[in-house]
Amino acid sequence: MVKLDPEYLDLLRDWRCDIHQNPEFGFEEQRTSRLVAERLRAFGVAVTESIGGTGVVGALKRGEGKRAIMLRADMDALRIQEAPTVPLAYCSVNPGLMHACGHDGHTTMLLGAAGILAQEGGFDGTIYFVFQPAEEWGQGMLAMLHDGLLERFPADEAYGLHNSPGLPIGQFETCPGPFKSAEDGFQIKVKGKGGHSARPHLGNDALVAAAAIICSLQTIVSRVINPAETAVVSCTDLEMHGTKNVIPGEVLVSGDCRSFRPEVSASIEQEMKRIARHVARAHGCTAEVTYTRDFIATINDLKLTSEAVRAVSSTFGPEAVNGAAIPGAGSEDFGQLLQRIPGCFMNIGNGNTASLHHAAYDFNDEAIPYGVGYFVALSRARLPLL
């Protein structure tokens, strides 16, 4: 068990609350990046800033070991107005922005681990502490990679974690293979002929056509995708410009799709375009589909997932970790890193809190020592002293 000094834990809680109070959107994390860099330097960690925009990497070497591992945390917040249920002592001071996904906690836990490893060592090799911008919209890791992350900081393995509301404090979960799904975005622009609501026969109602498309899209998962595969198609927004007595001539349907394999994603896109085109035509309208791939699946390495599970088990006990968790349909851009080097992504319990991306969500500080302990134990296990 990695035990934190009570004063150090209080300090980490203060840092977490400070980050929570000052949320910044993706690629705008100027203050957060400065804070991270200052604290890493205070620990004696070599720091490189402005990687992929606002990303920060700390490098810590001990001994003569040639191997290197990468530990990653995300820093960005969401464009959500925080609910008044969050304590006034540290609620967001930036209107319309809040840490509704716990990245303030992720950043704090990795900083906490960096402090302990810098002071105590206990490993042989190099640890790269990666603090990433813009995870929420799937661009931050790609930006860091395009800016030479792996060329400038060559690592053999990569590890990350994400808090999970509903999973008890002190519990971890992961699985080998696909763990977090890919996320595809789509927009369907339906065009018809608008007019007066009293004379619908003189137009082609784009709203009715859009509604029929939305209902028909549900058959993609139920009738096109193999039932053995995991797939989700969700229409989440319907936009039009008009008023209650106007039949719209143009409607925009937006949403996203989740899957774990590129072949499934391709099938969803193909079927969506076919359905939209033909259903719209049946209503005397046209439909144009824009389909994007925003997140790839996060796929854990078989061997390194076993090693990560072993690190949790040896640190907190075998009952603290489920190494055969059910993959989740949430997305995570850590998958871009795992596409290039092997590693493992882990969930850590956040207790009985509001769900992620909810206005009343707040990271549970009781999880901090477990996240810090995991990163420290994992680093020492993967870079053992000779």
Side-chain angles (χ1 to χ4, degrees), residues 17-230:
C17 292
D18 179 64
I19 296 171
H20 186 96
Q21 193 171 38
N22 297 274
E24 296 170 299
F25 193 64
F27 294 127
E28 299 172 2
E29 307 95 337
Q30 300 291 341
R31 182 185 186 277
T32 307
S33 293
R34 287 196 303 271
L35 178 152
V36 165
E38 289 169 3
R39 285 165 190 174
L40 288 174
R41 288 192 177 102
F43 293 147
V45 175
V47 174
T48 305
E49 298 179 72
S50 303
I51 301 174
T54 47
V56 178
V57 176
L60 181 64
K61 180 174 175 57
R62 292 288 185 271
E64 301 300 322
K66 303 300 182 185
R67 297 185 67 257
I69 65 171
M70 194 167 273
L71 307 178
R72 174 273 210 171
D74 35 20
M75 300 185 293
D76 56 320
L78 285 154
R79 286 187 173 135
I80 296 175
Q81 180 61 46
E82 191 161 51
T85 54
V86 176
L88 288 174
Y90 60 85
C91 66
S92 172
V93 298
N94 296 332
L97 285 171
M98 71 168 289
H99 273 290
C101 205
H103 296 185
D104 50 341
H106 303 164
T107 295
T108 300
M109 291 188 290
L110 188 55
L111 278 174
I116 290 176
L117 289 163
Q119 180 179 9
E120 300 179 2
F123 65 95
D124 182 39
T126 302
I127 303 172
Y128 296 120
F129 304 98
V130 177
F131 294 86
Q132 178 204 310
E135 188 281 329
E136 292 291 357
W137 45 299
Q139 298 300 310
M141 180 53 70
L142 275 176
M144 295 190 82
L145 289 166
H146 291 161
D147 205 9
L149 177 66
L150 291 177
E151 292 77 19
R152 298 160 71 180
F153 310 97
D156 301 289
E157 306 167 5
Y159 300 91
L161 55 71
H162 201 293
N163 77 94
S164 181
L167 188 66
I169 294 292
Q171 293 291 305
F172 296 77
E173 63 180 14
T174 189
C175 71
F179 184 48
K180 302 289 184 180
S181 77
E183 179 184 351
D184 304 337
F186 67 85
Q187 288 189 327
I188 304 173
K189 184 177 290 186
V190 183
K191 292 184 177 180
K193 181 181 179 183
H196 197 293
S197 61
R199 293 180 286 277
H201 61 292
L202 299 180
N204 300 104
D205 194 332
L207 178 57
V208 171
I213 290 171
I214 291 170
C215 292
S216 297
L217 290 181
Q218 305 312 306
T219 64
I220 295 176
V221 174
S222 65
R223 290 297 178 269
V224 176
I225 303 301
N226 188 325
E229 300 281 2
T230 298

Side-chain angles (χ1 to χ4, degrees), residues 3-16 43 108 112 116 119 368-369 372:
K3 294 185 178 180
L4 299 187
D5 179 85
E7 291 186 6
Y8 189 56
L9 182 55
D10 286 343
L11 180 64
L12 294 180
R13 288 179 176 136
D14 289 344
W15 290 356
R16 204 283 296 182
F43 293 147
T108 300
I116 290 176
Q119 180 179 9
I368 291 176
V372 172

